[in-house]
Amino acid sequence: MRIPLSWLAEHVELPKEHAAEWLHAQLVRVGFEEEAVHGGELRGPIVVGRVLEFVEEPQKNGKTIRWCQVDVGEAHGGVRGIVCGARNFVVGDRVVVTLPGAALGDFEIAARKTYGHVSDGMIASVRELGIGDDHDGILRLDEAGIPGEVGADALGILGLDDQAVEINVTPDRGYALSIRGIAREVASATGQAFTDPADTARDAIDVGSPSGFALAVDDDAPIRGRVGCSRFVARVVRGIDQSIATPTWMASRLRLAGMRSVSLGVDITNYVMLELGQPTHAYDLAKLQGGITVRRARAGERITTLDDVDRALHPEDLLITDERGPIGIAGVMGGADTEMDASTTDVLIEAATFDAVSIGRASRRHRLVSEASKRFERGVDPAVADAAAARVAQLLVELAGGTLDTELGAEIGEVPAMGAIDIPVGFWNAHTGADYTDDEARAALVAIGATVDEGATDAPTWTVTPPTWRSDIVDREGLVEEIARIVGFDRIPAVLPVAPPGRGLTRAQRLRRGVANGLAAAGLTEVLVAPFVTERQARLTGAEPVRLENALDGERPWLRTALVPGMLDTAHRNLGRGLTDLALFELGRVFHAVDGQGTEALPGAEARPSDATLAALDVLPEQPHHAAIVLVGERVHKQPGRAAERYGLADALDAAALVARVLGLELDVRQAERDWLHPGRTAALLLGERVVGVAGELLPSVAADADLPRGVAVAELDLEAMVALARVELQTRVIAPVPAATQDLSLVVDASVPAGEVLRAVREGAGALLEHIALVDDYRGTGLEAGEKSLTFALRFRAADRTLTAAEASEAKLAGLAVATERFGARLRE
Amino acid sequence: MPEPDETADLGARVDAAVTAALAAIAAATTTAELQAAKAAHNGQGSTLAALNGSLREFAPEDRKAAGQVIGAGRGQVGAAITARQGELAAAEEAAQLDAERVDVTALPSLRAHGGRHPLSMLIDEMSDVFVGMGWEVAEGPELEHEWYNFDALNVDPDHPARSESDTFYVAPAERHMVLRTQTSPVQMRSMLTRELPIYIVAPGRVYRTDDIDATHLPVFTQIEGLAVDKGLSMAHLRGTLEHLARIMFGAEAKIRLRPNYFPFTEPSAEMDVWHPGMRGGPRWVEWGGCGMVSPNVLRAAGIDPEVYSGFAFGMGIERTLQFRYQLDDMRDMIEGDVRFTEQFGMVI
């Protein structure tokens, strides 16, 4: 909302100096955020002058300039010589002259030599003055119907000495989208007396009680039980003169308020809307056929609105209609057919109260946000329609030469009564912790327009009725907000509440933090990737994805089912910026569709829904936490005495093992295959028999799709499942101080047998004496058959209670070999 | 049997053998040479060993004195060998250490420099402030049922924020699922499932259909706080925020509340923080929104607003990071350029 200061000053007193800053400070205090200040860019002397004569002088550059003699009044030095490039004026025209010392924004005017003359000022164009951009020429005051003696201050005449303060109005305060509402806020913030301009408007003209116009509201399909139109006031003014220009003061205020000046009739309806907050519309009475009915649209109906757009109407649209059909989308925009034009003499004024929901839906449906719909959607004072209609009529009579028709007109509907609210005295302090006195509370409520019934003396409860324009206040907390806002939020002290003893982070939260810190300390960099992916990315890992109805990026309407695909894009972006080696990790949620997700119905929120209803609301896509790793390029660079080492699957497995170790777990690694990973370089990661992740090298085609080089190693872990399986209990061992016995075991198996499974067999067979086992060599070649390999394990044996003999250790080792022999046909290597 | 003068002669012969042995020991410059000297002068076949072997030829009454002479000589040689062995070992150790010298400024670096994302670390830091006060950290789904995101929070079914121009809807929209536009659904979930009183913070990702620019992201992070207890007022809200502000921005930090509007709180306020360490001088910075939990929200959770009251607040983690580190462009926070994150390492 933009508030022209000269307009506001008609209703409340503003300081002479720095009024814009002062007003911002007042309004911020009561909850209106500062947005901007408009106007005030032009500084004097800028005066009215008359062109006495000029000579046209063609120039070498092809242009023709005019060397003018302009009378700017005795006080400003009489007649001055001025060079002008425009040629749309004639001798005798009154024009606006910017004299040396004046400034148009940052551009300071000085007498300067140009085209062989000293130009002692400038004749200003419409654009330079910022009062329009539709014509490029000089502003001709006579043609524009703008008064002003030669030598008079043009800024004042054109309203260019005015400024507008722009504030942000929150959606609950529709009343503040008007000078009326803002003036009341300023009055209550500063304690000034306030006269309601709606009352002034009613007093200014006697509209009588005309009833000759057929008006009806016929809403056969109210939305959410609310009839679309609760009140409709129609007035008729005849004989207006469309040739009269909008007065400059009105055009200036409209411009500062952010609206274009169109024609006197339209400008008056807009002016009244800005002043009182009530949108109004003026129809050309001659173009109306019969009376007006407010009703919902019928199937197949269409309307061309004032913006010349032909629109198909929806059965929920609330319409203004005459006998022929739609003449306006109620509260949103009028129709082109009944619009005022240059020949209009008689007008019908509409000021109606429309339901916020009806108007909001129509505005969104037609993607048509008008000044009117903005106000109706936020709530218009249901009691102000008659005042607005009277004010339009008064201005049409005063400014456009019209006459009020006291016969033809009508008024239907009524103003709904506001609900009274009981508030215990002192509740405002219980709820805010402040020390507002009863007097302050009462004064604040009265200032916003509420009536306060204190009942019997010292009654513990007040009964407060909010004013008609505050339908947002429905409970005592709403009243507290008003009291706190008006008396001051700065009176609320700071008191630290004491919470009961807490349990700290949950186990899952602690473990996830440990995983993130562990991976970062191990040299990986955490990334946070947006979850929006392409269908190909969403389906890469096989899970059923979820799609968005209204994605920002049409290519990526799917939600990630795994972290790796999105991280590949991040890796690509980094490579594109000249980096070559990346070790990325992410912890985040992924989204997996489930059967029957969501609900058809939306439960109410008046009370706690039943457990069955709440259970139904929880049928949502699964959103487990995942952890993922992407490794590209070199782990170790080439350095003195050391060759470069590339990241590979081993690093991805190592990182996955680190995640497991943080959780007190050991991953079981098995050879596996996935569509998107290298068929020979893919590992399934298991906890017990449950697959909790996969690690591998990207399939070259998948890497190429992501514009990444070959050999990118990745891992994707279901962190949710891993955390759930994290070690809870630990059977601690006695750490025996007796010596260990170490032995190597070399055995021969078929080359296709996974070493990890041989290791597991040896471990199982060797039994409790085996303390540690590691694979130390994998040999193929001389001495072995083709298709065979020799694996060497280093074994460490220890008994808890005695020093083992070599014979005991050998016996355990051979028991291990025996199991490997049984499972894989292993034989001892000679 | 040797003559008595032979005894005197023995002394001279031992002396000569010892002198020769000591010379050989001193001349040894390696452990191997020393071992050779030891064998030659003190081992079997050495002069001293031969003299020792001749003892039985002495008269029994002279044997003891002769043995003492030879023993002293052998003892002298043995001590010299041990001493020389120590000297040589030390010199050889020193030589080896010298040979092992490396340029410590040119050793290979073996591990990449990782780091946590500053947004994650900031979430941890802010959560810990609350955990320290006995609050708990609550979580909820990012893909949320529309009821939790809007209806339960007193957002009217026709509120403009529910339109597709602000909220991501999951297809099909008739199934009423959205990407949560705020962390507030966790408030409602906490009130429905936790025992009163409730003191929780809920950090997490939220989504809005904003096009990306320097100050807007379609995916961003919030931390939300909720307290529901008997007798809570806006003073407790302000006290809580001021405590957080002091821990994060220093002892001079303070909180200013300005009236605002949110459907789920009443009164509602915008909170500014006085940031004493702001580059360019201390000043007020917009930090987030807050207010007293609307009685409608309490009722939707089955909590009696006549008995309990609550306050709630929420602030953007990106915004907090932005003004704490004077970051001009929020896009750096989500593009995943590792250079951005590596600046922070493991510390915020």
Side-chain angles (χ1 to χ4, degrees):
Chain A
M1 171 73 188
R2 293 177 174 199
I3 310 147
L5 295 180
S6 67
W7 202 347
L8 187 65
E10 289 179 4
H11 304 284
V12 286
E13 198 177 324
L14 302 181
K16 297 269 174 290
E17 299 285 320
H18 306 295
E21 292 85 342
W22 177 87
L23 182 60
H24 267 316
Q26 301 303 318
L27 292 177
V28 164
R29 224 174 64 77
V30 292
F32 298 100
E33 235 172 293
E34 165 176 351
E35 296 277 323
V37 176
H38 302 274
E41 293 91 355
L42 300 182
R43 297 188 300 280
I46 299 177
V47 300
V48 176
R50 187 183 300 281
V51 181
L52 301 180
E53 59 171 323
F54 59 78
V55 183
E56 297 211 331
E57 298 178 355
Q59 301 296 315
K60 286 188 204 125
N61 62 9
K63 278 175 78 176
T64 298
I65 61 105
R66 286 178 173 183
W67 170 236
C68 315
Q69 298 303 314
V70 184
D71 180 5
V72 294
E74 285 307 314
H76 300 290
V79 178
R80 292 180 182 237
I82 295 175
V83 171
C84 185
R87 295 160 69 189
N88 68 321
F89 56 95
V90 297
V91 167
D93 262 343
R94 281 182 307 120
V95 293
V96 175
V97 181
T98 53
L99 298 174
L104 306 171
D106 290 336
F107 176 51
E108 301 236 350
I109 308 296
R112 62 192 184 100
K113 193 153 189 200
T114 178
Y115 294 113
H117 301 282
V118 172
S119 186
D120 205 6
M122 225 177 77
I123 304 177
S125 71
V126 171
R127 183 176 292 174
E128 282 158 350
L129 293 170
I131 56 178
D133 49 12
D134 29 358
H135 18 59
D136 200 17
I138 295 306
L139 173 63
R140 302 170 67 200
L141 295 173
D142 295 307
E143 183 196 48
I146 298 171
E149 297 294 310
V150 167
D153 171 27
L155 290 182
I157 291 167
L158 295 169
L160 294 173
D161 52 352
D162 202 0
Q163 281 187 307
V165 160
E166 183 172 2
I167 53 165
N168 181 31
V169 173
T170 53
D172 57 327
R173 299 183 193 279
Y175 71 93
L177 294 173
S178 65
I179 298 296
R180 178 194 187 211
I182 295 297
R184 189 190 308 277
E185 289 291 333
V186 174
S188 59
T190 58
Q192 297 183 37
F194 174 70
T195 307
D196 189 340
D199 294 337
T200 311
R202 290 187 187 99
D203 294 344
I205 186 168
D206 180 9
V207 293
S209 48
S211 57
F213 190 82
L215 265 186
V217 173
D218 177 19
D219 184 357
D220 52 7
I223 297 178
R224 294 170 63 189
R226 303 203 284 230
V227 172
C229 175
S230 59
R231 194 175 184 215
F232 198 120
V233 178
R235 303 278 178 247
V236 171
V237 175
R238 296 186 182 277
I240 64 168
D241 181 354
Q242 291 282 10
S243 70
I244 298 174
T246 301
T248 48
W249 58 266
M250 181 179 278
S252 152
R253 286 177 178 181
L254 288 173
R255 188 182 64 244
L256 276 175
M259 298 191 78
R260 241 161 27 91
S261 173
V262 179
S263 67
L264 181 55
V266 172
D267 287 354
I268 286 173
T269 59
N270 285 335
Y271 188 83
V272 171
M273 173 180 68
L274 293 171
E275 185 171 72
L276 298 178
Q278 166 73 58
T280 60
H281 187 74
Y283 300 92
D284 186 333
L285 188 60
K287 295 177 186 170
L288 290 179
Q289 186 91 17
I292 283 180
T293 300
V294 182
R295 62 164 171 84
R296 302 283 165 187
R298 293 175 188 143
E301 278 188 314
R302 304 183 74 86
I303 188 172
T304 300
T305 39
L306 285 174
D307 54 1
D308 284 329
V309 178
D310 174 49
R311 299 172 189 274
L313 295 166
H314 184 276
E316 257 193 7
D317 287 338
L318 191 67
L319 302 180
I320 314 296
T321 65
D322 70 0
E323 279 178 3
R324 280 178 302 189
I327 56 172
I329 304 176
V332 180
M333 193 172 276
D337 289 349
T338 52
E339 180 181 14
M340 289 183 290
D341 59 35
S343 65
T344 301
T345 55
D346 301 344
V347 299
L348 179 109
I349 304 156
E350 164 200 311
T353 307
F354 298 117
D355 177 57
V357 171
S358 236
I359 304 313
R361 286 192 188 178
S363 165
R364 285 194 287 279
R365 192 179 299 126
H366 292 288
R367 293 202 162 77
L368 182 54
V369 177
S370 63
E371 291 293 325
S373 72
K374 251 196 292 192
R375 285 171 174 77
F376 280 119
E377 205 181 339
R378 286 163 177 78
V380 169
D381 181 359
V384 82
D386 63 317
R391 179 73 166 141
V392 173
Q394 178 218 347
L395 290 171
L396 285 173
V397 170
E398 277 180 15
L399 303 176
T403 312
L404 179 72
D405 185 330
T406 52
E407 302 290 316
L408 200 59
E411 189 172 338
I412 59 168
E414 45 196 55
V415 181
M418 299 300 289
I421 302 164
D422 287 340
I423 182 167
V425 174
F427 179 70
W428 40 86
N429 290 335
H431 208 55
T432 60
D435 58 350
Y436 306 132
T437 66
D438 294 358
D439 286 344
E440 286 173 329
R442 187 189 308 104
L445 293 172
V446 170
I448 64 157
T451 56
V452 180
D453 178 0
E454 300 189 21
T457 316
D458 294 334
T461 298
W462 292 355
T463 300
V464 180
T465 308
T468 51
W469 56 88
R470 292 303 302 269
S471 56
D472 60 304
I473 303 175
V474 294
D475 52 25
R476 60 190 188 177
E477 285 78 7
L479 296 176
V480 170
E481 178 163 270
E482 294 305 306
I483 295 166
R485 186 172 75 86
I486 301 293
V487 186
F489 272 27
D490 49 1
R491 292 263 295 273
I492 297 170
V495 178
L496 192 60
V498 179
R503 293 165 292 189
L505 294 179
T506 64
R507 177 178 161 81
Q509 288 161 352
R510 262 187 293 119
L511 292 174
R512 286 201 304 266
R513 238 190 228 196
V515 167
N517 286 335
L519 289 170
L524 288 92
T525 301
E526 185 177 21
V527 292
L528 299 171
V529 182
F532 310 121
V533 294
T534 63
E535 177 159 18
R536 191 185 169 89
Q537 288 175 316
R539 296 193 185 280
L540 192 61
T541 58
E544 185 57 30
V546 173
R547 190 173 60 82
L548 293 176
E549 194 77 79
N550 56 330
L552 283 179
D553 177 352
E555 306 261 288
R556 299 168 169 266
W558 298 86
L559 294 181
R560 64 186 180 190
T561 55
L563 301 179
V564 164
M567 293 171 72
L568 298 181
D569 292 340
T570 303
H572 171 66
R573 183 175 304 124
N574 277 285
L575 297 188
R577 293 179 179 182
L579 301 172
T580 52
D581 311 305
L582 299 169
L584 308 179
F585 80 93
E586 181 173 18
L587 264 54
R589 290 183 190 270
V590 299
F591 304 86
H592 296 161
V594 299
D595 286 339
Q597 61 195 21
T599 61
E600 290 292 337
L602 207 47
E606 304 75 33
R608 183 191 170 104
S610 70
D611 288 348
T613 305
L614 289 174
L617 297 182
D618 265 343
V619 182
L620 293 171
E622 285 174 5
Q623 299 164 55
H625 285 275
H626 271 202
I629 286 131
V630 170
L631 305 167
V632 185
E634 295 177 352
R635 170 163 51 90
V636 177
H637 306 164
K638 184 191 174 309
Q639 293 166 90
R642 195 156 191 127
E645 294 171 24
R646 297 195 73 76
Y647 281 117
L649 178 54
D651 298 282
L653 282 173
D654 196 48
L658 187 152
V659 172
R661 231 171 12 253
V662 169
L663 304 176
L665 301 169
E666 196 179 339
L667 282 175
D668 189 4
V669 177
R670 296 199 192 154
Q671 202 79 27
E673 290 191 19
R674 296 286 186 277
D675 298 349
W676 54 292
L677 295 173
H678 190 304
R681 296 189 173 184
T682 298
L685 307 172
L686 292 86
L687 291 174
E689 283 308 304
R690 173 154 186 196
V691 177
V692 294
V694 62
E697 260 182 36
L698 283 187
L699 200 62
S701 63
V702 172
D705 275 350
D707 275 331
L708 293 172
R710 279 181 83 109
V712 173
V714 302
E716 176 93 27
L717 302 169
D718 182 346
L719 190 59
E720 192 92 22
M722 292 178 73
V723 165
L725 293 168
R727 191 185 65 213
V728 180
E729 283 185 26
L730 174 64
Q731 193 68 50
T732 56
R733 279 195 313 255
V734 173
I735 305 302
V738 298
T742 56
Q743 297 207 3
D744 278 0
L745 168 63
S746 288
L747 47 72
V748 178
V749 288
D750 190 275
S752 66
V753 177
E757 295 187 22
V758 178
L759 184 146
R760 196 175 311 123
V762 172
R763 181 155 58 195
E764 280 176 37
L769 293 179
L770 181 64
E771 185 177 87
H772 182 257
I773 176 169
L775 176 68
V776 294
D777 198 19
D778 175 337
Y779 171 80
R780 302 160 199 234
T782 314
L784 296 176
E785 299 288 325
E788 284 185 337
K789 65 181 174 187
S790 167
L791 301 174
T792 302
F793 298 95
L795 306 147
R796 188 170 75 224
F797 297 97
R798 201 186 319 252
D801 54 351
R802 64 188 192 282
T803 302
L804 287 178
T805 64
E808 282 177 303
S810 296
E811 191 186 337
K813 176 174 83 174
L814 292 175
L817 172 67
V819 175
T821 305
E822 180 195 326
R823 287 190 195 163
F824 309 111
R827 66 172 196 275
L828 199 60
R829 188 173 171 212
E830 301 307 325
Chain B
M1 173 156 306
E3 294 303 302
D5 61 319
E6 284 187 334
T7 311
D9 187 45
L10 177 73
R13 287 164 66 191
V14 168
D15 282 348
V18 166
T19 303
L22 292 181
I25 289 164
T29 56
T30 67
T31 310
E33 284 175 23
L34 183 62
Q35 290 307 319
K38 182 182 174 183
H41 294 280
N42 207 18
Q44 281 184 356
S46 67
T47 310
L48 283 170
L51 286 172
N52 201 44
S54 69
L55 272 179
R56 65 186 114 82
E57 293 168 25
F58 281 83
E61 64 277 16
D62 297 331
R63 212 173 274 165
K64 188 181 175 191
Q68 281 171 345
V69 169
I70 296 169
R74 294 194 81 173
Q76 200 181 349
V77 170
I81 289 170
T82 305
R84 185 64 182 155
Q85 201 149 28
E87 284 170 25
L88 289 178
E92 279 170 18
E93 176 76 5
Q96 185 176 352
L97 290 178
D98 195 54
E100 285 170 2
R101 181 181 188 84
V102 296
D103 179 354
V104 296
T105 66
L107 292 178
S109 116
L110 299 178
R111 176 165 289 164
H113 299 243
R116 297 283 313 277
H117 197 285
L119 292 175
S120 307
M121 288 191 284
L122 196 52
I123 286 177
D124 288 354
E125 177 184 347
M126 294 174 80
S127 300
D128 286 348
V129 173
F130 287 96
V131 168
M133 292 195 286
W135 295 44
E136 295 186 2
V137 177
E139 295 169 281
E142 291 173 20
L143 192 167
E144 188 50 284
H145 197 283
E146 198 179 342
W147 187 83
Y148 278 107
N149 196 66
F150 291 127
D151 300 79
L153 298 172
N154 199 35
V155 181
D156 188 89
D158 282 286
H159 193 285
R162 295 177 81 139
S163 76
E164 291 205 350
S165 59
D166 290 297
T167 305
F168 287 111
Y169 279 83
V170 170
E174 301 78 54
R175 301 295 292 180
H176 297 296
M177 291 176 291
V178 300
L179 291 182
R180 66 181 181 190
T181 57
Q182 53 212 355
T183 39
S184 308
V186 183
Q187 279 188 25
M188 181 49 58
R189 288 182 172 276
S190 299
M191 286 193 279
L192 285 168
T193 55
R194 287 174 181 253
E195 284 185 19
L196 292 162
I198 294 168
Y199 288 84
I200 55 123
V201 286
R205 275 185 156 186
V206 300
Y207 301 84
R208 290 187 199 163
T209 55
D210 286 334
D211 286 318
I212 296 183
D213 64 29
T215 55
H216 292 91
L217 304 173
V219 184
F220 58 104
T221 327
Q222 280 186 338
I223 187 163
E224 175 114 0
L226 169 75
V228 182
D229 204 342
K230 290 176 181 167
L232 289 181
S233 73
M234 283 187 92
H236 296 116
L237 165 62
R238 186 165 178 187
T240 302
L241 294 171
E242 217 147 77
H243 178 72
L244 175 68
R246 289 202 181 116
I247 290 179
M248 295 192 64
F249 304 113
E252 292 105 71
K254 54 195 171 189
I255 292 289
R256 180 172 72 183
L257 301 179
R258 287 181 286 117
N260 202 337
Y261 167 77
F262 306 106
F264 29 89
T265 47
E266 197 170 35
S268 300
E270 195 76 12
M271 60 171 131
D272 299 334
V273 61
W274 178 258
H275 184 5
M278 195 79 178
R279 188 182 295 170
R283 66 176 178 86
W284 290 107
V285 186
E286 275 186 42
W287 202 13
C290 60
M292 297 300 290
V293 179
S294 160
N296 292 345
V297 173
L298 292 175
R299 274 189 284 269
I303 296 172
D304 185 355
E306 297 295 329
V307 181
Y308 284 94
S309 57
F311 63 80
F313 56 85
M315 54 275 266
I317 301 287
E318 282 81 359
R319 171 149 186 79
T320 307
L321 186 70
Q322 190 171 34
F323 70 73
R324 184 153 147 184
Y325 286 95
Q326 280 84 38
L327 302 168
D328 292 331
D329 198 329
M330 275 190 189
R331 280 171 287 202
D332 289 341
M333 299 182 197
I334 56 150
E335 286 187 335
D337 190 319
V338 297
R339 293 171 302 167
F340 175 74
T341 304
E342 280 172 0
Q343 306 173 85
F344 293 88
M346 305 277 293
V347 181
I348 193 165

